[in-house]
Amino acid sequence: MTGTRVLVLNSGSSSLKYQLLDMRDSSRLAAGLVERIGEQTSRLKHTPLAAGGDAREADGPIADHDAALKAVAQELARDGLGLDSPDLAAIGHRVVHGGMFFTQPTVIDDAVIAEIERLIPVAPLHNPANLTGIRTARALRPDLPQVAVFDTAFHTTMPESAARYAIDPRIADRHRIRRYGFHGTSHAYVSRATAELLGKAPEDVNVIVLHLGNGASASAVRGGRCVDTSMGLTPLEGLVMGTRSGDMDPAVIFHLARVGGMSMDEIDTLLNKRSGLFGLCGDNDMREIRRRIDEGDEAAALAFDIYVHRLKKYIGAYYAVLGTVDAVAFTAGVGENAAPVREAAVAGLEGLGLAVDPGRNAVRGDRPRIVSPDSARVAVAVVPTDEELEIATQTYALVGKNT
Ligand code: AMP
């Protein structure tokens, strides 16, 4: 392997996010996003980070992912970072669902693509979009190693007691129903970065990671290995999220169908896209919710309380799962920025050794930091996540090993 650059692609159904990194120092050379692919109003936003210039935006129809990646390649070429360069070592793809099969990042070949395809029934929205990105990138650079990094892989270490639902295992196995978990690259990165922040090896610490973005999940990580996580067969289970309900009595679904007369698709949309903070108060952005609370808005206050109550329950549950906890790490948009969420989530948990120092918690920053008092038994940390760097790191390590 001669190159040192890795292109990270995160391909959604109508979007393509990318970053180009130089793995000699993990620096970001360029980053960008193509939105609304397939529509008349597509937009490409490209930031030439290495060149230090302003972001460039181009509007106009981009028909498909193939055209999107070619447009990205052109932008990169303008910065002298063309995808035909020998400096490009590999492309790393985010793939949402790797099922039980993919426990590690994997070099992509036809058999790997076929297996990702077989998993479409458990990830009908995400895996087809991820596959489109993979196929497009392979067509553009068929000679280049391409690596799939799975959102589920970090969670494949969960014991059966945590991964199984309490249903007939024959039915579960026939339909591949079990708890897979998601946001795995983030949980992996943040749990390791938290150990580093504590000055310890990942094997020597137990961490509760709270990934609170628009999607949100918690994980219990013992000695660097995930032992439980809050998302399940799909990302719908667990915490209250921006637009997802999280945990609910499954009988709510029967009730909505039988008594409410809703179709399965309507219920799916309701619980995934119109619930959570948005469903409760009409806003899914925590900044807006805090602003409304400050103005005395009761619906926003109740949404916040429900969000925090669920979060606290998971902290308690994972504390019990782990037995001893070295740190609780907050990450992603809400976790990194919303000091009131961190404060409220650990309020009253002094008995568990958990507290935030109000002064430390109020300080903003983009570096990992501890926001608990020095005297606290358990560190409360804010650890910015970096899924692209994690995908690039895993991709580069795997390609380096194979050449
Ligand atoms: P993510 O999915 O990690 O990009 O997180 C997106 C979410 O982070 C948004 O929907 C906001 O709710 C939240 N967020 C971003 N910035 C802030 C902030 N400064 N304060 C509170 N919440 C924020």
Side-chain angles (χ1 to χ4, degrees):
M1 183 170 69
T2 51
T4 58
R5 294 179 192 153
V6 174
L7 177 70
V8 175
L9 291 182
N10 182 353
S11 178
S13 56
S14 64
S15 68
L16 182 68
K17 272 195 225 155
Y18 62 94
Q19 281 195 10
L20 184 68
L21 293 97
D22 187 336
M23 299 316 292
R24 283 175 300 189
D25 57 0
S26 302
S27 64
R28 246 157 279 249
L29 303 172
L33 166 69
V34 189
E35 288 174 293
R36 297 190 291 278
I37 297 171
E39 293 177 34
Q40 288 301 310
T41 57
S42 316
R43 164 170 293 184
L44 191 164
K45 184 172 178 192
H46 175 84
T47 309
L49 297 161
D54 288 337
R56 301 195 288 267
E57 286 188 22
D59 291 316
I62 295 180
D64 52 25
H65 282 74
D66 188 46
L69 187 58
K70 284 187 177 137
V72 170
Q74 255 174 18
E75 290 297 331
L76 289 168
R78 274 178 71 180
D79 302 329
L81 300 167
L83 297 185
D84 48 0
S85 161
D87 290 334
L88 186 62
I91 299 179
H93 295 268
R94 175 185 184 214
V95 180
V96 167
H97 217 309
M100 292 281 286
F101 189 79
F102 294 110
T103 60
Q104 299 288 333
T106 305
V107 175
I108 296 169
D109 58 18
D110 292 342
V112 168
I113 289 182
E115 187 58 32
I116 297 171
E117 248 168 6
R118 264 195 290 278
L119 289 162
I120 287 175
V122 283
L125 295 180
H126 293 106
N127 275 25
N130 301 155
L131 277 167
T132 305
I134 290 173
R135 290 201 173 98
T136 306
R138 280 183 106 206
L140 194 72
R141 283 295 309 267
D143 54 312
L144 199 67
Q146 313 231 359
V147 173
V149 179
F150 298 93
D151 261 19
T152 46
F154 183 62
H155 304 303
T156 55
T157 52
M158 277 196 289
E160 288 294 280
S161 53
R164 287 258 175 198
Y165 291 110
I167 61 172
D168 183 336
R170 288 165 302 184
I171 295 174
D173 290 345
R174 189 178 320 140
H175 300 291
R176 302 199 203 200
I177 295 170
R178 60 188 283 120
R179 307 190 56 259
Y180 295 100
F182 298 89
H183 293 144
T185 48
S186 178
H187 287 283
Y189 177 87
V190 170
S191 57
R192 242 189 7 251
T194 305
E196 201 174 304
L197 182 65
L198 300 182
K200 295 192 174 165
E203 301 78 57
D204 296 333
V205 293
N206 292 348
V207 184
I208 297 172
V209 179
L210 303 170
H211 176 111
L212 311 177
N214 197 32
S217 62
S219 69
V221 183
R222 173 180 291 133
R225 291 164 67 86
C226 177
V227 293
D228 205 350
T229 194
S230 59
M231 285 177 167
L233 172 73
T234 77
L236 184 55
E237 190 178 343
L239 300 174
V240 176
M241 312 185 204
T243 65
R244 297 192 191 109
S245 63
D247 293 338
M248 260 185 2
D249 181 346
V252 171
I253 295 167
F254 318 145
H255 191 81
L256 287 172
R258 291 184 188 131
V259 181
M262 291 175 74
S263 70
M264 275 304 149
D265 283 346
E266 285 169 340
I267 299 171
D268 191 329
T269 303
L270 174 75
L271 299 183
N272 275 296
K273 302 224 165 89
R274 307 194 60 78
S275 296
L277 293 169
F278 177 79
L280 286 164
C281 74
D283 270 309
N284 58 335
D285 192 316
M286 192 53 83
R287 285 164 286 201
E288 188 56 19
I289 290 171
R290 291 301 310 173
R291 195 190 59 72
R292 285 174 54 186
I293 293 172
D294 289 343
E295 287 178 352
D297 186 316
E298 285 180 16
L302 181 58
F304 183 85
D305 288 348
I306 295 170
Y307 182 94
V308 166
H309 178 75
R310 185 82 51 84
L311 199 51
K312 193 173 277 194
K313 285 213 301 201
Y314 270 91
I315 294 172
Y318 287 172
Y319 207 118
V321 166
L322 290 169
T324 59
V325 176
D326 297 283
V328 174
F330 286 84
T331 194
V334 175
E336 291 167 29
N337 296 299
V341 169
R342 297 191 295 261
E343 186 186 327
V346 303
L349 300 185
E350 294 81 6
L352 298 178
L354 279 163
V356 295
D357 175 275
R360 287 180 180 175
N361 194 37
V363 175
R364 302 181 63 84
D366 51 14
R367 306 284 311 156
R369 57 198 184 275
I370 289 174
V371 297
S372 45
D374 290 337
S375 58
R377 256 188 299 132
V378 179
V380 178
V382 179
V383 179
T385 192
D386 196 336
E387 291 171 273
E388 288 79 15
L389 175 59
E390 180 68 18
I391 292 171
T393 305
Q394 293 192 15
T395 298
Y396 194 61
L398 182 60
V399 170
K401 231 181 339 195
N402 288 353
T403 47

